[in-house]
Amino acid sequence: MSLDVFNVCASGMYAQKVKMDVTASNMANINTTRKEDGSPGVYVKKGVSFESVYNDVKRDDFPVSNHKIRGNKSEGSVVLTGSVSFGDINEISQGVEVAKIEDSKNPYRVIFDPSHPDADADGFVKVPNINVVEEMVNMVTASKAYEANATIAETTKNMISTALKI
Amino acid sequence: MEITTQSIEIAKLALDGLQLRQKAIASNTANVDTSGYRRKEVNFESQLTDILNEQSQKTRIRENNSCGKLNDKSKLELLAYLGEDNYSKFSPMIQTDTNEISQDGNNVVVEKEMMDMAQTAMRYNVLATLEGNMFTSLQDVIKSGGGN
């Protein structure tokens, strides 16, 4: 009986948890205008991207050129980057990994608030470019995707316990 | 006489196929946010039909006992064909769904995956229970048969 369905589900749950952490960090820093050391500097919004992981144990004909390889090719796993070309590999992925946590390319917006301690001479302040609605949407998608993965793990557990009754 | 029946063998293969399908569903769901990921499907039902058809063909040949009319070479070939294990041919197919439904290239629909999951689990549970029942009745036969 192969139990790697649980690993796949766990990888999905972990990835969604990372997304949730990043969303929480964005929300917590919605008004942050200084860095950790107290020097002025606006908090930069973070985003997560994922990549799927494929097992490369059995295959020699795996199209390597388009993919990032982690570890030894003969025994390790292959991590596919975001290119579309990998879609045609007829192989079930071993789950998902967090590819990177990226800084937003559009990090701040400027508001007028002369009473703010970090306001410049004209009364303008740079604040993080965080959209509450967007973060809320990310939060809900992450939590629902987490739930979907957990449901699959639960159902698989039921399947296995039924099989044990044979 | 064979101790396992065709139903037991076929149910076994179907359970394997369903288990692989469950894994495909899990990996599709895990990759729901991966850009460029295309969902994978597991197909095995048509293979089971083929195996069943071939099996019944063999039974027909055996019943007609047509071996006698053949020369030695064809007879050997036929016997080899009849003795061949159909069940080991079974290998579920993994296919990629290439439908484009969103801009980032990902075509996983969670609703569909959850429905597929429910269906797969239901079928798995039904088959596993049936398989258990078949073995129970086999056990009854073993217990009550023979003796005095």
Side-chain angles (χ1 to χ4, degrees):
Chain A
M1 180 107 207
S2 85
L3 296 173
D4 47 0
V5 180
F6 294 113
N7 293 337
V8 176
C9 292
S11 77
M13 286 162 79
Y14 175 71
Q16 298 304 330
K17 201 185 77 108
V18 171
K19 190 175 176 179
M20 191 67 112
D21 287 349
V22 169
T23 308
S25 152
N26 286 344
M27 281 301 283
N29 286 294
I30 192 161
N31 282 321
T32 304
T33 52
R34 296 208 177 187
K35 294 178 184 161
E36 303 96 289
D37 55 4
S39 62
V42 74
Y43 171 83
V44 180
K45 186 173 93 172
K46 306 282 191 294
V48 196
S49 62
F50 300 126
E51 59 195 4
S52 35
V53 183
Y54 284 81
N55 226 337
D56 191 30
V57 180
K58 282 172 290 182
R59 295 174 55 122
D60 296 326
D61 58 331
F62 209 84
V64 178
S65 55
N66 294 321
H67 314 108
K68 195 163 85 189
I69 296 173
R70 190 153 294 174
N72 184 352
K73 184 182 175 268
S74 57
E75 51 181 326
S77 56
V78 176
V79 179
L80 301 164
T81 52
S83 78
V84 185
S85 55
F86 69 73
D88 301 329
I89 300 166
N90 289 328
E91 183 101 4
I92 297 176
S93 85
Q94 300 295 307
V96 67
E97 262 184 22
V98 176
K100 51 183 173 235
I101 299 174
E102 284 170 307
D103 287 350
S104 163
K105 291 190 182 71
N106 186 10
Y108 59 83
R109 63 199 156 89
V110 178
I111 56 165
F112 180 68
D113 184 3
S115 62
H116 196 286
D118 290 325
D120 63 12
D122 299 323
F124 289 106
V125 195
K126 282 179 186 168
V127 293
N129 188 16
I130 291 164
N131 182 346
V132 181
V133 179
E134 195 189 313
E135 298 305 325
M136 284 293 146
V137 169
N138 282 342
M139 187 194 80
V140 174
T141 38
S143 108
K144 287 297 166 193
Y146 189 95
E147 218 174 295
N149 280 300
T151 311
I152 289 176
E154 180 68 40
T155 314
T156 310
K157 252 163 64 187
N158 287 337
M159 280 166 64
I160 291 172
S161 58
T162 317
L164 283 175
K165 286 181 202 139
I166 291 177
Chain B
M1 187 211 149
E2 290 170 25
I3 192 103
T4 55
T5 62
Q6 198 181 37
S7 325
I8 288 180
E9 294 294 329
I10 287 289
K12 197 167 78 183
L13 298 183
L15 286 172
D16 283 347
L18 287 169
Q19 204 194 323
L20 195 67
R21 180 173 292 164
Q22 183 76 359
K23 192 185 162 195
I25 293 168
S27 103
N28 289 342
T29 313
N31 283 294
V32 69
D33 261 345
T34 311
S35 60
Y37 178 83
R38 302 194 199 193
R39 57 184 295 275
K40 304 289 187 293
E41 274 176 8
V42 174
N43 293 315
F44 61 87
E45 277 89 349
S46 58
Q47 274 186 42
L48 289 184
T49 318
D50 289 349
I51 290 176
L52 280 172
N53 285 342
E54 206 170 338
Q55 208 67 20
S56 60
Q57 197 184 359
K58 284 183 182 176
T59 318
R60 260 203 313 280
I61 295 174
R62 275 199 206 96
E63 279 168 0
N64 292 346
N65 201 11
S66 45
C67 291
K69 297 166 202 153
L70 297 167
N71 62 34
D72 282 350
K73 189 167 169 269
S74 333
K75 201 170 180 173
L76 280 178
E77 275 170 10
L78 186 63
L79 285 175
Y81 169 71
L82 289 177
E84 208 182 336
D85 181 13
N86 271 333
Y87 304 121
S88 59
K89 283 184 201 159
F90 179 72
S91 71
M93 270 185 305
I94 300 164
Q95 287 171 322
T96 307
D97 184 350
T98 51
N99 271 340
E100 293 289 342
I101 56 162
S102 75
Q103 268 187 326
D104 67 349
N106 188 311
N107 60 0
V108 178
V109 181
V110 183
E111 290 85 348
K112 183 173 159 42
E113 301 303 330
M114 297 318 270
M115 283 297 171
D116 282 353
M117 178 206 69
Q119 200 190 31
T120 308
M122 190 75 83
R123 288 169 67 184
Y124 190 94
N125 288 343
V126 167
L127 273 176
T129 313
L130 279 177
E131 186 97 328
N133 290 347
M134 286 188 256
F135 280 118
T136 315
S137 33
L138 205 57
Q139 213 163 26
D140 287 345
V141 173
I142 294 169
K143 271 187 202 151
S144 57
N148 315 310

